[in-house]
Amino acid sequence: MSVGEIAGLVAAGALVLLVVLLAVPLLKLGRTLDETTLTIRQVREQSAPILSQASTTVTHVNSNLERVDDITGNAANVSSNVAALTSVVAATLGSPLIKVAAFSYGVRSAVKKRREGQAIAEAAQRDKEARRARRAARRAA
């Protein structure tokens, strides 16, 4: 064997060793890609039911929100009706009640002043009679 043949054999051996060394990472990369593909397939299969359940849930929530909208609309109507009724009652009963209250206050004030006036008049009458009695007693003495 000549030097050229030995060099060829060494080069061929090195090339085989290089191919073997490169084949191992390529095989591992292929298995990783297979696992990734399998994982993506499983995620897709499991996400479909979850998405359909989420869609159903959103549909139910929307229908309940429509009911709540109806309820709040009715509550707003009721509160506006109560406000209108309150203003009507205040307008019809408020003014007469104020007049009755003012009249009763006036009557109470007049009665109180009359009683005070009578008490003052009676006191003045007693003072007058007491003075007359003293004058009469001085004249008689």
Side-chain angles (χ1 to χ4, degrees):
M1 281 198 138
S2 71
V3 176
E5 290 176 348
I6 292 177
L9 281 176
V10 170
L15 186 62
V16 167
L17 183 63
L18 180 66
V19 167
V20 168
L21 287 176
L22 287 177
V24 172
L26 285 175
L27 288 174
K28 286 184 179 180
L29 182 62
R31 277 189 246 140
T32 303
L33 287 175
D34 289 341
E35 288 294 322
T36 304
T37 305
L38 181 63
T39 302
I40 290 172
R41 185 176 301 129
Q42 288 174 349
V43 166
R44 187 185 67 219
E45 289 171 357
Q46 291 174 0
S47 65
I50 291 172
L51 290 176
S52 93
Q53 288 175 355
S55 174
T56 305
T57 302
V58 167
T59 303
H60 285 105
V61 167
N62 283 338
S63 67
N64 286 335
L65 283 177
E66 287 175 5
R67 287 186 206 146
V68 168
D69 284 343
D70 291 342
I71 291 169
T72 54
N74 291 337
N77 287 338
V78 167
S79 65
S80 66
N81 289 342
V82 167
L85 181 63
T86 302
S87 64
V88 166
V89 167
T92 56
L93 296 179
S95 180
L97 286 177
I98 290 171
K99 290 177 182 177
V100 166
F103 178 75
S104 66
Y105 175 75
V107 168
R108 281 192 319 241
S109 297
V111 168
K112 183 178 176 183
K113 286 181 181 179
R114 183 169 181 209
R115 286 182 187 160
E116 289 173 357
Q118 284 179 348
I120 291 172
E122 289 173 1
Q125 185 66 31
R126 281 192 304 260
D127 287 344
K128 189 176 183 182
E129 290 173 1
R131 276 185 272 148
R132 284 184 183 166
R134 279 192 302 249
R135 279 189 210 149
R138 274 188 267 164
R139 287 185 195 160

